[in-house]
Amino acid sequence: MDDLKEIYERIKFLRHKGVKMKEIAECTGFTPSVLSALFTTVLPEYIKNLDNGQAENEALDSALAWVNNVSKKKLLGSLGKMKAALFDMDATPRQTAASQGNDFVGAIGRGMKDAVALAANLSGVYISYSVSSSSDAMKVEPYLIAPSEGGDYVEVVHNNAYGSTHHGFALMNGLNHIYIMFNENRQPQLALFNICLKIPMFDRPPFLRGLYTCFDYNHNPIARRILFVKASDGISRDEFMKMKGCLKQPGGLDDTERAYYDYTCGKEDVVRMRDVLSPKMTIEDLAAEKELLKYKDQG
């Protein structure tokens, strides 16, 4: 089954060249969701299992156990046709108008595609823990990290503690950090909500630690510590949408939640800014702002 390795490397090559997963799926005869599952989960897991010494059949069976939409019989029966179609595809790099003259814009687009493969081991449902902006309560909120329906980027869905759902995307800088980006407000207004999570040296880490920035209720920027705890490797979107965020007061926490609270909700775990009335904009205003924030944090 060396064809599986060659298929994985060819898909990776095409993706890096800018070919969309939907176009690759059309050429292979698989649906985008099935091909995405193969590329992001089954094939990387299969190769890892081989490297760990498993036999080919055992390695593939173990890899297929992570998904529920890929048939082993169909996969093995389609290898020759799939491989031939992939190597016949035009891999000429494409450059969109949006990326011309601005390398960073192009890098964002490429990064969204590349993250589909890089984030395979991080996909799943997480429960996040962080401090509330309005009280000492801890926010407990579910996140879903998974390939988009078309398989061309990593979608992140967030159900917050106040009843709203946000859809964003993830980027990765190799294997060190995962970046998650949302717009908290409806278009066209932008109120970016960004999370940077450190990736530990584990295949499937049980939790991720990081920082996130957003706006407080007065539209001032704020940065806070956040903890993502893995709840499951996969779930249907309908089931995920039934999961709701909430606020938990310090007095109602169990021992595990208290540990999460102590990690994320201390005064030193929040960095704030605040507008200070300053008609002349002098250096003294900087000290006044810090003093005002210090007083607020002690309250």
Side-chain angles (χ1 to χ4, degrees):
M1 287 186 280
D2 287 342
D3 285 347
L4 288 173
K5 290 184 177 181
E6 294 183 44
I7 286 171
Y8 176 69
E9 292 300 328
R10 182 60 179 177
I11 295 176
K12 186 191 297 185
F13 172 77
L14 292 170
R15 298 286 290 149
H16 286 172
K17 288 295 186 179
V19 183
K20 294 183 179 179
M21 187 65 79
K22 182 178 179 181
E23 298 171 10
I24 301 175
E26 289 174 354
C27 125
T28 61
F30 285 86
T31 64
S33 60
V34 169
L35 190 66
S36 177
L38 279 172
F39 180 59
T40 62
T41 303
V42 175
L43 295 180
E45 188 71 15
Y46 168 73
I47 293 169
K48 186 188 78 172
N49 291 341
L50 289 179
D51 291 340
N52 289 337
Q54 291 187 9
E56 290 182 344
N57 276 316
E58 181 186 1
L60 183 57
D61 289 340
S62 298
L64 288 170
W66 288 99
V67 298
N68 57 15
N69 61 343
V70 180
S71 163
K72 181 179 180 181
K73 182 178 179 180
K74 181 179 179 181
L75 174 61
L76 294 180
S78 305
L79 287 184
K81 180 181 178 181
M82 180 191 291
K83 179 180 174 182
L86 288 171
F87 279 88
D88 282 343
M89 280 196 75
D90 182 11
T92 303
R94 301 177 183 180
Q95 187 164 11
T96 63
S99 65
Q100 293 178 1
N102 189 328
D103 290 340
F104 179 61
V105 173
I108 293 294
R110 292 190 298 273
M112 291 176 68
K113 296 181 178 70
D114 293 344
V116 175
L118 294 173
N121 288 349
L122 302 176
S123 295
V125 177
Y126 294 82
I127 305 299
S128 76
Y129 300 87
S130 60
V131 67
S132 165
S133 295
S134 58
S135 69
D136 290 333
M138 181 169 64
K139 291 192 299 182
V140 181
E141 300 173 325
Y143 285 77
L144 173 64
I145 301 176
S148 65
E149 186 174 345
D152 52 349
Y153 71 96
V154 175
E155 183 181 19
V156 185
V157 187
H158 166 224
N159 294 334
N160 74 11
Y162 309 102
S164 298
T165 296
H166 302 115
H167 295 264
F169 64 89
L171 297 169
M172 293 182 66
N173 66 337
L175 301 177
N176 296 315
H177 300 88
I178 180 169
Y179 303 98
I180 300 173
M181 303 183 69
F182 299 95
N183 181 21
E184 282 196 295
N185 291 348
R186 292 183 178 179
Q187 296 287 2
Q189 183 180 0
L190 281 177
L192 296 181
F193 171 20
N194 305 309
I195 301 173
C196 177
L197 299 169
K198 180 70 176 177
I199 302 174
M201 298 297 291
F202 283 81
D203 283 342
R204 286 180 168 79
F207 57 81
L208 301 170
R209 294 168 288 186
L211 301 173
Y212 77 96
T213 60
C214 60
F215 293 101
D216 66 14
Y217 294 107
N218 295 314
H219 302 289
N220 292 314
I222 183 173
R224 287 177 280 201
R225 192 187 300 273
I226 191 169
L227 178 68
F228 272 45
V229 178
K230 191 73 167 284
S232 70
D233 287 315
I235 191 174
S236 71
R237 300 202 174 225
D238 290 341
E239 288 298 315
F240 175 78
M241 294 309 297
K242 296 177 184 178
M243 301 175 67
K244 304 299 180 184
C246 65
L247 294 176
K248 289 198 172 184
Q249 299 298 327
L253 304 178
D254 60 30
D255 291 343
T256 300
E257 292 170 335
R258 168 55 67 174
Y260 297 158
Y261 183 91
D262 291 342
Y263 179 73
T264 60
C265 298
K267 299 296 184 183
E268 69 278 6
D269 296 317
V270 182
V271 178
R272 302 178 184 272
M273 291 187 69
R274 186 167 179 179
D275 290 330
V276 178
L277 293 176
S278 52
K280 296 183 179 180
M281 287 291 290
T282 64
I283 294 178
E284 285 74 17
D285 294 336
L286 304 179
E289 179 187 357
K290 291 202 71 175
E291 188 65 25
L292 184 63
L293 291 170
K294 178 180 177 183
Y295 174 76
K296 181 179 180 180
D297 287 344
Q298 290 176 344

mmCIF file of all heavy atoms in Angstrom, residues 202-237:
data_model
loop_
_atom_site.group_PDB
_atom_site.id
_atom_site.type_symbol
_atom_site.label_atom_id
_atom_site.label_comp_id
_atom_site.label_asym_id
_atom_site.label_seq_id
_atom_site.Cartn_x
_atom_site.Cartn_y
_atom_site.Cartn_z
ATOM 1 N N PHE A 202 2.936 16.736 21.910
ATOM 2 C CA PHE A 202 2.090 15.559 22.035
ATOM 3 C C PHE A 202 1.333 15.384 20.728
ATOM 4 O O PHE A 202 0.968 16.366 20.077
ATOM 5 C CB PHE A 202 1.072 15.721 23.177
ATOM 6 C CG PHE A 202 1.655 15.527 24.551
ATOM 7 C CD1 PHE A 202 2.338 16.563 25.175
ATOM 8 C CD2 PHE A 202 1.518 14.323 25.216
ATOM 9 C CE1 PHE A 202 2.883 16.402 26.438
ATOM 10 C CE2 PHE A 202 2.061 14.153 26.482
ATOM 11 C CZ PHE A 202 2.739 15.183 27.097
ATOM 12 N N ASP A 203 1.066 14.126 20.333
ATOM 13 C CA ASP A 203 0.300 13.894 19.112
ATOM 14 C C ASP A 203 -1.109 14.451 19.236
ATOM 15 O O ASP A 203 -1.608 15.104 18.330
ATOM 16 C CB ASP A 203 0.226 12.389 18.805
ATOM 17 C CG ASP A 203 1.529 11.865 18.220
ATOM 18 O OD1 ASP A 203 2.335 12.698 17.749
ATOM 19 O OD2 ASP A 203 1.739 10.645 18.232
ATOM 20 N N ARG A 204 -1.754 14.154 20.348
ATOM 21 C CA ARG A 204 -3.113 14.648 20.595
ATOM 22 C C ARG A 204 -3.167 15.201 22.022
ATOM 23 O O ARG A 204 -3.577 14.503 22.946
ATOM 24 C CB ARG A 204 -4.138 13.524 20.388
ATOM 25 C CG ARG A 204 -4.349 13.191 18.916
ATOM 26 C CD ARG A 204 -5.369 12.085 18.705
ATOM 27 N NE ARG A 204 -5.743 11.998 17.303
ATOM 28 C CZ ARG A 204 -5.016 11.422 16.361
ATOM 29 N NH1 ARG A 204 -3.868 10.864 16.679
ATOM 30 N NH2 ARG A 204 -5.428 11.392 15.112
ATOM 31 N N PRO A 205 -2.767 16.459 22.194
ATOM 32 C CA PRO A 205 -2.677 17.025 23.537
ATOM 33 C C PRO A 205 -4.039 17.120 24.215
ATOM 34 O O PRO A 205 -5.039 17.442 23.566
ATOM 35 C CB PRO A 205 -2.084 18.424 23.291
ATOM 36 C CG PRO A 205 -2.398 18.726 21.867
ATOM 37 C CD PRO A 205 -2.370 17.425 21.150
ATOM 38 N N PRO A 206 -4.112 16.851 25.520
ATOM 39 C CA PRO A 206 -5.387 16.926 26.241
ATOM 40 C C PRO A 206 -5.841 18.354 26.496
ATOM 41 O O PRO A 206 -7.022 18.588 26.715
ATOM 42 C CB PRO A 206 -5.092 16.202 27.563
ATOM 43 C CG PRO A 206 -3.610 16.379 27.751
ATOM 44 C CD PRO A 206 -3.016 16.363 26.379
ATOM 45 N N PHE A 207 -4.915 19.298 26.493
ATOM 46 C CA PHE A 207 -5.318 20.701 26.622
ATOM 47 C C PHE A 207 -4.278 21.609 25.967
ATOM 48 O O PHE A 207 -3.137 21.207 25.732
ATOM 49 C CB PHE A 207 -5.530 21.096 28.097
ATOM 50 C CG PHE A 207 -4.337 20.885 28.994
ATOM 51 C CD1 PHE A 207 -3.304 21.810 29.037
ATOM 52 C CD2 PHE A 207 -4.264 19.772 29.815
ATOM 53 C CE1 PHE A 207 -2.210 21.621 29.869
ATOM 54 C CE2 PHE A 207 -3.175 19.573 30.654
ATOM 55 C CZ PHE A 207 -2.149 20.498 30.676
ATOM 56 N N LEU A 208 -4.716 22.822 25.646
ATOM 57 C CA LEU A 208 -3.867 23.827 25.015
ATOM 58 C C LEU A 208 -3.953 25.108 25.821
ATOM 59 O O LEU A 208 -5.034 25.499 26.268
ATOM 60 C CB LEU A 208 -4.327 24.091 23.577
ATOM 61 C CG LEU A 208 -4.334 22.900 22.619
ATOM 62 C CD1 LEU A 208 -5.041 23.265 21.320
ATOM 63 C CD2 LEU A 208 -2.913 22.438 22.327
ATOM 64 N N ARG A 209 -2.814 25.759 26.006
ATOM 65 C CA ARG A 209 -2.776 27.009 26.774
ATOM 66 C C ARG A 209 -2.441 28.170 25.845
ATOM 67 O O ARG A 209 -1.683 28.006 24.889
ATOM 68 C CB ARG A 209 -1.730 26.923 27.877
ATOM 69 C CG ARG A 209 -2.055 25.901 28.949
ATOM 70 C CD ARG A 209 -0.878 25.641 29.854
ATOM 71 N NE ARG A 209 0.157 24.868 29.144
ATOM 72 C CZ ARG A 209 1.253 24.400 29.722
ATOM 73 N NH1 ARG A 209 1.470 24.636 30.995
ATOM 74 N NH2 ARG A 209 2.128 23.703 29.030
ATOM 75 N N GLY A 210 -2.984 29.337 26.138
ATOM 76 C CA GLY A 210 -2.678 30.466 25.277
ATOM 77 C C GLY A 210 -3.215 31.776 25.794
ATOM 78 O O GLY A 210 -3.611 31.909 26.959
ATOM 79 N N LEU A 211 -3.223 32.754 24.906
ATOM 80 C CA LEU A 211 -3.705 34.101 25.195
ATOM 81 C C LEU A 211 -4.697 34.503 24.118
ATOM 82 O O LEU A 211 -4.606 34.058 22.980
ATOM 83 C CB LEU A 211 -2.539 35.106 25.204
ATOM 84 C CG LEU A 211 -1.412 34.859 26.203
ATOM 85 C CD1 LEU A 211 -0.274 35.847 25.937
ATOM 86 C CD2 LEU A 211 -1.919 35.008 27.637
ATOM 87 N N TYR A 212 -5.645 35.357 24.501
ATOM 88 C CA TYR A 212 -6.523 35.894 23.467
ATOM 89 C C TYR A 212 -6.760 37.376 23.698
ATOM 90 O O TYR A 212 -6.671 37.883 24.818
ATOM 91 C CB TYR A 212 -7.841 35.116 23.390
ATOM 92 C CG TYR A 212 -8.859 35.402 24.464
ATOM 93 C CD1 TYR A 212 -9.884 36.325 24.242
ATOM 94 C CD2 TYR A 212 -8.852 34.706 25.668
ATOM 95 C CE1 TYR A 212 -10.844 36.560 25.205
ATOM 96 C CE2 TYR A 212 -9.814 34.925 26.632
ATOM 97 C CZ TYR A 212 -10.812 35.862 26.398
ATOM 98 O OH TYR A 212 -11.763 36.091 27.348
ATOM 99 N N THR A 213 -6.999 38.058 22.596
ATOM 100 C CA THR A 213 -7.273 39.497 22.634
ATOM 101 C C THR A 213 -8.648 39.755 22.050
ATOM 102 O O THR A 213 -9.078 39.080 21.105
ATOM 103 C CB THR A 213 -6.222 40.285 21.832
ATOM 104 O OG1 THR A 213 -6.246 39.856 20.469
ATOM 105 C CG2 THR A 213 -4.828 40.085 22.408
ATOM 106 N N CYS A 214 -9.323 40.743 22.615
ATOM 107 C CA CYS A 214 -10.644 41.123 22.138
ATOM 108 C C CYS A 214 -10.919 42.534 22.662
ATOM 109 O O CYS A 214 -10.008 43.236 23.109
ATOM 110 C CB CYS A 214 -11.714 40.140 22.608
ATOM 111 S SG CYS A 214 -11.847 40.023 24.407
ATOM 112 N N PHE A 215 -12.167 42.955 22.610
ATOM 113 C CA PHE A 215 -12.570 44.248 23.170
ATOM 114 C C PHE A 215 -13.452 44.014 24.387
ATOM 115 O O PHE A 215 -14.272 43.097 24.399
ATOM 116 C CB PHE A 215 -13.337 45.077 22.134
ATOM 117 C CG PHE A 215 -12.490 45.519 20.975
ATOM 118 C CD1 PHE A 215 -12.555 44.858 19.761
ATOM 119 C CD2 PHE A 215 -11.620 46.593 21.103
ATOM 120 C CE1 PHE A 215 -11.774 45.251 18.697
ATOM 121 C CE2 PHE A 215 -10.831 46.995 20.044
ATOM 122 C CZ PHE A 215 -10.905 46.326 18.836
ATOM 123 N N ASP A 216 -13.295 44.883 25.409
ATOM 124 C CA ASP A 216 -14.195 44.802 26.549
ATOM 125 C C ASP A 216 -15.483 45.555 26.213
ATOM 126 O O ASP A 216 -15.693 45.993 25.080
ATOM 127 C CB ASP A 216 -13.518 45.316 27.823
ATOM 128 C CG ASP A 216 -13.202 46.808 27.769
ATOM 129 O OD1 ASP A 216 -13.715 47.521 26.879
ATOM 130 O OD2 ASP A 216 -12.421 47.280 28.623
ATOM 131 N N TYR A 217 -16.351 45.714 27.223
ATOM 132 C CA TYR A 217 -17.657 46.319 26.972
ATOM 133 C C TYR A 217 -17.567 47.802 26.617
ATOM 134 O O TYR A 217 -18.527 48.373 26.109
ATOM 135 C CB TYR A 217 -18.573 46.109 28.184
ATOM 136 C CG TYR A 217 -18.916 44.654 28.391
ATOM 137 C CD1 TYR A 217 -18.360 43.920 29.443
ATOM 138 C CD2 TYR A 217 -19.762 43.992 27.510
ATOM 139 C CE1 TYR A 217 -18.654 42.576 29.617
ATOM 140 C CE2 TYR A 217 -20.067 42.647 27.678
ATOM 141 C CZ TYR A 217 -19.513 41.949 28.734
ATOM 142 O OH TYR A 217 -19.809 40.617 28.893
ATOM 143 N N ASN A 218 -16.423 48.420 26.886
ATOM 144 C CA ASN A 218 -16.212 49.817 26.507
ATOM 145 C C ASN A 218 -15.393 49.942 25.221
ATOM 146 O O ASN A 218 -14.898 51.007 24.891
ATOM 147 C CB ASN A 218 -15.496 50.556 27.644
ATOM 148 C CG ASN A 218 -16.351 50.648 28.887
ATOM 149 O OD1 ASN A 218 -17.531 50.971 28.817
ATOM 150 N ND2 ASN A 218 -15.753 50.338 30.041
ATOM 151 N N HIS A 219 -15.247 48.820 24.513
ATOM 152 C CA HIS A 219 -14.518 48.779 23.236
ATOM 153 C C HIS A 219 -13.042 49.127 23.403
ATOM 154 O O HIS A 219 -12.414 49.663 22.491
ATOM 155 C CB HIS A 219 -15.175 49.693 22.206
ATOM 156 C CG HIS A 219 -16.610 49.357 21.934
ATOM 157 N ND1 HIS A 219 -17.001 48.231 21.237
ATOM 158 C CD2 HIS A 219 -17.754 49.987 22.315
ATOM 159 C CE1 HIS A 219 -18.320 48.178 21.177
ATOM 160 N NE2 HIS A 219 -18.806 49.223 21.825
ATOM 161 N N ASN A 220 -12.488 48.818 24.559
ATOM 162 C CA ASN A 220 -11.054 48.953 24.775
ATOM 163 C C ASN A 220 -10.408 47.578 24.628
ATOM 164 O O ASN A 220 -10.981 46.573 25.051
ATOM 165 C CB ASN A 220 -10.764 49.494 26.180
ATOM 166 C CG ASN A 220 -11.224 50.920 26.337
ATOM 167 O OD1 ASN A 220 -10.991 51.767 25.481
ATOM 168 N ND2 ASN A 220 -11.902 51.212 27.445
ATOM 169 N N PRO A 221 -9.209 47.504 24.031
ATOM 170 C CA PRO A 221 -8.570 46.197 23.844
ATOM 171 C C PRO A 221 -8.167 45.570 25.173
ATOM 172 O O PRO A 221 -7.767 46.255 26.112
ATOM 173 C CB PRO A 221 -7.340 46.522 22.988
ATOM 174 C CG PRO A 221 -7.095 47.972 23.184
ATOM 175 C CD PRO A 221 -8.421 48.595 23.441
ATOM 176 N N ILE A 222 -8.286 44.250 25.221
ATOM 177 C CA ILE A 222 -7.979 43.512 26.438
ATOM 178 C C ILE A 222 -7.354 42.171 26.043
ATOM 179 O O ILE A 222 -7.720 41.593 25.025
ATOM 180 C CB ILE A 222 -9.266 43.297 27.287
ATOM 181 C CG1 ILE A 222 -8.950 42.580 28.599
ATOM 182 C CG2 ILE A 222 -10.312 42.537 26.504
ATOM 183 C CD1 ILE A 222 -10.147 42.503 29.524
ATOM 184 N N ALA A 223 -6.383 41.712 26.815
ATOM 185 C CA ALA A 223 -5.738 40.414 26.576
ATOM 186 C C ALA A 223 -5.882 39.560 27.823
ATOM 187 O O ALA A 223 -5.703 40.049 28.942
ATOM 188 C CB ALA A 223 -4.256 40.605 26.237
ATOM 189 N N ARG A 224 -6.206 38.287 27.621
ATOM 190 C CA ARG A 224 -6.434 37.400 28.763
ATOM 191 C C ARG A 224 -5.848 36.015 28.505
ATOM 192 O O ARG A 224 -5.686 35.599 27.366
ATOM 193 C CB ARG A 224 -7.942 37.259 29.027
ATOM 194 C CG ARG A 224 -8.579 38.478 29.642
ATOM 195 C CD ARG A 224 -10.063 38.296 29.814
ATOM 196 N NE ARG A 224 -10.779 38.520 28.585
ATOM 197 C CZ ARG A 224 -12.089 38.816 28.516
ATOM 198 N NH1 ARG A 224 -12.784 38.925 29.630
ATOM 199 N NH2 ARG A 224 -12.673 39.003 27.367
ATOM 200 N N ARG A 225 -5.557 35.327 29.601
ATOM 201 C CA ARG A 225 -5.124 33.932 29.510
ATOM 202 C C ARG A 225 -6.347 33.053 29.225
ATOM 203 O O ARG A 225 -7.457 33.335 29.694
ATOM 204 C CB ARG A 225 -4.486 33.519 30.838
ATOM 205 C CG ARG A 225 -3.751 32.189 30.765
ATOM 206 C CD ARG A 225 -3.300 31.748 32.144
ATOM 207 N NE ARG A 225 -2.402 32.697 32.787
ATOM 208 C CZ ARG A 225 -1.086 32.707 32.627
ATOM 209 N NH1 ARG A 225 -0.521 31.834 31.831
ATOM 210 N NH2 ARG A 225 -0.343 33.577 33.266
ATOM 211 N N ILE A 226 -6.136 31.996 28.439
ATOM 212 C CA ILE A 226 -7.230 31.076 28.132
ATOM 213 C C ILE A 226 -6.700 29.645 28.120
ATOM 214 O O ILE A 226 -5.532 29.408 27.782
ATOM 215 C CB ILE A 226 -7.899 31.430 26.779
ATOM 216 C CG1 ILE A 226 -9.210 30.655 26.593
ATOM 217 C CG2 ILE A 226 -6.944 31.204 25.617
ATOM 218 C CD1 ILE A 226 -10.056 31.155 25.422
ATOM 219 N N LEU A 227 -7.556 28.714 28.503
ATOM 220 C CA LEU A 227 -7.208 27.291 28.547
ATOM 221 C C LEU A 227 -8.237 26.518 27.726
ATOM 222 O O LEU A 227 -9.445 26.674 27.927
ATOM 223 C CB LEU A 227 -7.214 26.789 29.989
ATOM 224 C CG LEU A 227 -6.922 25.298 30.206
ATOM 225 C CD1 LEU A 227 -5.475 24.980 29.864
ATOM 226 C CD2 LEU A 227 -7.214 24.911 31.662
ATOM 227 N N PHE A 228 -7.766 25.701 26.767
ATOM 228 C CA PHE A 228 -8.629 24.828 25.970
ATOM 229 C C PHE A 228 -8.426 23.399 26.465
ATOM 230 O O PHE A 228 -7.318 22.869 26.389
ATOM 231 C CB PHE A 228 -8.239 24.883 24.492
ATOM 232 C CG PHE A 228 -8.904 25.970 23.696
ATOM 233 C CD1 PHE A 228 -8.998 27.257 24.197
ATOM 234 C CD2 PHE A 228 -9.410 25.717 22.435
ATOM 235 C CE1 PHE A 228 -9.589 28.268 23.458
ATOM 236 C CE2 PHE A 228 -10.009 26.716 21.686
ATOM 237 C CZ PHE A 228 -10.104 27.993 22.196
ATOM 238 N N VAL A 229 -9.485 22.749 26.917
ATOM 239 C CA VAL A 229 -9.423 21.355 27.375
ATOM 240 C C VAL A 229 -10.185 20.479 26.389
ATOM 241 O O VAL A 229 -11.350 20.750 26.076
ATOM 242 C CB VAL A 229 -10.011 21.214 28.793
ATOM 243 C CG1 VAL A 229 -9.993 19.745 29.230
ATOM 244 C CG2 VAL A 229 -9.222 22.065 29.782
ATOM 245 N N LYS A 230 -9.530 19.421 25.889
ATOM 246 C CA LYS A 230 -10.142 18.554 24.875
ATOM 247 C C LYS A 230 -11.324 17.799 25.470
ATOM 248 O O LYS A 230 -11.219 17.167 26.518
ATOM 249 C CB LYS A 230 -9.087 17.566 24.362
ATOM 250 C CG LYS A 230 -9.490 16.780 23.119
ATOM 251 C CD LYS A 230 -9.460 17.664 21.891
ATOM 252 C CE LYS A 230 -9.543 16.889 20.589
ATOM 253 N NZ LYS A 230 -8.286 16.222 20.232
ATOM 254 N N ALA A 231 -12.472 17.876 24.774
ATOM 255 C CA ALA A 231 -13.667 17.151 25.220
ATOM 256 C C ALA A 231 -13.904 15.899 24.389
ATOM 257 O O ALA A 231 -14.329 14.873 24.911
ATOM 258 C CB ALA A 231 -14.892 18.059 25.153
ATOM 259 N N SER A 232 -13.636 15.973 23.079
ATOM 260 C CA SER A 232 -13.791 14.798 22.212
ATOM 261 C C SER A 232 -13.041 15.049 20.914
ATOM 262 O O SER A 232 -12.778 16.191 20.543
ATOM 263 C CB SER A 232 -15.269 14.511 21.925
ATOM 264 O OG SER A 232 -15.823 15.506 21.083
ATOM 265 N N ASP A 233 -12.724 13.955 20.201
ATOM 266 C CA ASP A 233 -12.021 14.073 18.928
ATOM 267 C C ASP A 233 -12.948 14.451 17.788
ATOM 268 O O ASP A 233 -12.495 14.943 16.756
ATOM 269 C CB ASP A 233 -11.303 12.769 18.583
ATOM 270 C CG ASP A 233 -10.077 12.549 19.451
ATOM 271 O OD1 ASP A 233 -9.308 13.503 19.626
ATOM 272 O OD2 ASP A 233 -9.904 11.425 19.951
ATOM 273 N N GLY A 234 -14.235 14.213 17.943
ATOM 274 C CA GLY A 234 -15.159 14.526 16.862
ATOM 275 C C GLY A 234 -16.595 14.532 17.342
ATOM 276 O O GLY A 234 -16.942 13.883 18.339
ATOM 277 N N ILE A 235 -17.430 15.285 16.618
ATOM 278 C CA ILE A 235 -18.844 15.392 16.955
ATOM 279 C C ILE A 235 -19.546 15.974 15.736
ATOM 280 O O ILE A 235 -18.935 16.706 14.948
ATOM 281 C CB ILE A 235 -19.042 16.290 18.196
ATOM 282 C CG1 ILE A 235 -20.474 16.205 18.734
ATOM 283 C CG2 ILE A 235 -18.709 17.729 17.872
ATOM 284 C CD1 ILE A 235 -20.678 16.954 20.037
ATOM 285 N N SER A 236 -20.807 15.641 15.541
ATOM 286 C CA SER A 236 -21.547 16.252 14.437
ATOM 287 C C SER A 236 -21.794 17.728 14.763
ATOM 288 O O SER A 236 -21.869 18.120 15.929
ATOM 289 C CB SER A 236 -22.880 15.537 14.224
ATOM 290 O OG SER A 236 -23.782 15.832 15.284
ATOM 291 N N ARG A 237 -21.937 18.528 13.726
ATOM 292 C CA ARG A 237 -22.150 19.957 13.953
ATOM 293 C C ARG A 237 -23.477 20.206 14.651
ATOM 294 O O ARG A 237 -23.589 21.126 15.455
ATOM 295 C CB ARG A 237 -22.066 20.720 12.635
ATOM 296 C CG ARG A 237 -20.701 20.529 11.996
ATOM 297 C CD ARG A 237 -20.325 21.580 11.041
ATOM 298 N NE ARG A 237 -18.933 21.339 10.624
ATOM 299 C CZ ARG A 237 -18.032 22.275 10.550
ATOM 300 N NH1 ARG A 237 -18.341 23.501 10.877
ATOM 301 N NH2 ARG A 237 -16.812 22.011 10.162
#
